[in-house]
């Protein structure tokens, strides 16, 4: 991530491909017929194996992690305006401007979600 951001910061986009375990507490769970273990780092593996079942990281966790590389503004851009630009919808998403949708997330100083 360091090299990607250093060489092309405007090309960095944060996404989460979180599986159904997102929002669950760490421990053992069933996703459909598959028993999985979710750890405290949002990593989900098939129970009693190291086989990755997926990630359960929410977007705010991605932003907190990426801000260590890109700074707060770079991380927030990678979660907001950059994806909107890539999708061709920056005329209505990804920024606070007249005519844009009012999609707001209130974050704490630690980048935890306070309200949506």
């Amino acid at each position: 991530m360091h090299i990607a951001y250093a060489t092309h910061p405007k090309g960095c986009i944060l996404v989460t491909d979180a599986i159904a375990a997102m929002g669950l507490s760490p421990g053992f769970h069933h996703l459909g017929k598959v028993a999985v273990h979710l750890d405290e780092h949002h990593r989900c593996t098939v129970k009693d194996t190291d086989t990755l079942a997926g990630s359960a990281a929410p977007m705010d966790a991605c932003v907190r992690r990426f801000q260590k590389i890109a700074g707060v503004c770079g991380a927030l851009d990678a979660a907001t305006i950059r994806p909107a630009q890539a999708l061709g919808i920056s005329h209505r998403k990804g920024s606070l401007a007249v005519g844009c949708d009012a999609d707001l997330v209130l974050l704490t100083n630690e980048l935890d979600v306070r309200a949506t």
Side-chain angles (χ1 to χ4, degrees), residues 9-88:
K10 290 184 178 182
C12 288
I13 296 173
L14 293 180
V15 297
T16 179
D17 59 350
I19 61 173
M22 187 176 77
L24 298 177
S25 59
F28 292 100
H29 304 281
H30 279 84
L31 300 179
K33 296 180 180 181
V34 179
V36 298
H37 179 257
L38 178 62
D39 71 16
E40 65 277 0
H41 302 291
H42 309 291
R43 183 174 184 261
C44 193
T45 55
V46 175
K47 185 179 177 184
D48 298 327
T49 74
D50 288 328
T51 303
L52 186 63
S55 170
M59 182 56 79
D60 60 315
C62 296
V63 168
R64 282 191 300 278
R65 183 171 180 182
F66 195 59
Q67 67 90 25
K68 295 174 185 174
I69 295 166
V72 173
C73 291
L76 291 175
D77 280 354
T80 57
I81 190 63
R82 302 292 177 236
Q85 290 169 335
L87 294 171

